[in-house]
Amino acid sequence: MSENQSIDLLSLQTMAKVFGSLFYFPLTDSNNQILLAALAQDENLQDSDLQAWCQQVKGESNEALNQDFFLLFEGGEAMLAPPWGSVYMDREEVIFGESTVAYRQFLRSHDIALDTGMREPEDQIGLMLFAVSQLVEQEQDIESVKVLFAEHLLTWCYRYFELVEKHAATTSYKQLAKLVSQWCEAVQELLTITPLAVKLYR
């Protein structure tokens, strides 16, 4: 999606789900491979930044992409771009921090369950994008979607995308971070969202 492309609620729901998958599973995962093939062939995305990015992914080795995913999302010796919101918003830079608890309460109040089969923080970037998609799908009131963005996602995600761009070893992950950052900016403008001002510790 080009950054200047308008976003309606249907595409908001769809793209949040797409980007959620791309940030939660490895790009080499079979589901993401199917998704990438579909995006590459989508006539509505012809000549778009997103379609150009799909071609970029095809040009990089699975080994390089898997190594990047491990370092960025699972962690080597040092986590250079942690994908959890509380690491940025908690003074101690921990997962399952106070912001995670607040976000969990928000999800419960809207009957959203993110059951991945593992005990992991709900404020992982990919899971949060999945939650956006689910909330748009089930809510008639766009205000709750705006609250999710304003109070829980936009508070930290731009900093996160900066770090991914800086530390990713592959062009694919660098460009993906830039694309999703631009998408978030477009959503913020479309829905007239003012992110909650919070102190970041990363």
Side-chain angles (χ1 to χ4, degrees):
M1 175 179 293
S2 173
E3 61 270 26
N4 58 10
Q5 211 171 333
S6 63
I7 301 175
D8 58 26
L9 289 183
L10 178 60
S11 70
L12 172 59
Q13 190 261 329
T14 301
M15 294 312 300
K17 193 171 186 178
V18 166
F19 289 140
S21 181
L22 296 175
F23 267 110
Y24 186 71
F25 302 106
L27 294 179
T28 55
D29 179 84
S30 58
N31 289 327
N32 275 342
Q33 287 294 300
I34 293 170
L35 182 58
L36 286 166
L39 292 171
Q41 296 169 9
D42 190 334
E43 292 184 357
N44 294 322
L45 295 173
Q46 195 167 5
D47 299 323
S48 68
D49 294 342
L50 183 55
Q51 213 161 61
W53 174 78
C54 291
Q55 292 301 316
Q56 169 63 44
V57 177
K58 287 172 61 177
E60 295 199 89
S61 72
N62 285 354
E63 182 181 359
L65 292 171
N66 285 336
Q67 177 68 8
D68 222 8
F69 180 85
F70 172 74
L71 292 175
L72 292 170
F73 295 94
E74 296 176 339
E77 293 182 5
M79 238 5 212
L80 298 176
W84 306 283
S86 67
V87 176
Y88 298 84
M89 294 189 286
D90 189 283
R91 184 183 298 274
E92 304 299 323
E93 298 185 25
V94 295
I95 60 172
F96 291 110
E98 289 184 9
S99 63
T100 310
V101 174
Y103 178 56
R104 181 180 297 161
Q105 291 171 345
F106 171 85
L107 293 178
R108 285 177 178 166
S109 71
H110 292 281
D111 297 319
I112 292 178
L114 298 172
D115 185 9
T116 64
M118 297 183 289
R119 184 178 182 273
E120 60 181 327
E122 295 89 336
D123 59 351
Q124 196 270 359
I125 185 68
L127 290 179
M128 291 191 80
L129 291 166
F130 279 140
V132 170
S133 177
Q134 196 172 334
L135 192 59
V136 173
E137 188 174 14
Q138 73 184 37
E139 289 282 336
Q140 300 300 316
D141 181 12
I142 194 62
E143 289 306 312
S144 58
V145 177
K146 292 173 68 172
V147 169
L148 192 161
F149 272 101
E151 297 184 8
H152 302 288
L153 181 58
L154 297 181
T155 46
W156 67 280
C157 71
Y158 292 126
R159 175 58 180 159
Y160 165 70
F161 294 135
E162 282 179 10
L163 291 176
V164 173
E165 272 199 77
K166 179 179 179 181
H167 295 294
T170 59
T171 303
S172 295
Y173 274 109
K174 288 180 184 293
Q175 291 184 349
L176 178 60
K178 185 175 182 179
L179 278 173
V180 184
S181 182
Q182 291 171 343
W183 177 79
C184 285
E185 289 173 358
V187 172
Q188 183 177 338
E189 182 177 354
L190 172 75
L191 299 181
T192 320
I193 298 169
T194 302
L196 193 66
V198 300
K199 180 175 176 59
L200 298 181
Y201 296 92
R202 269 277 169 144

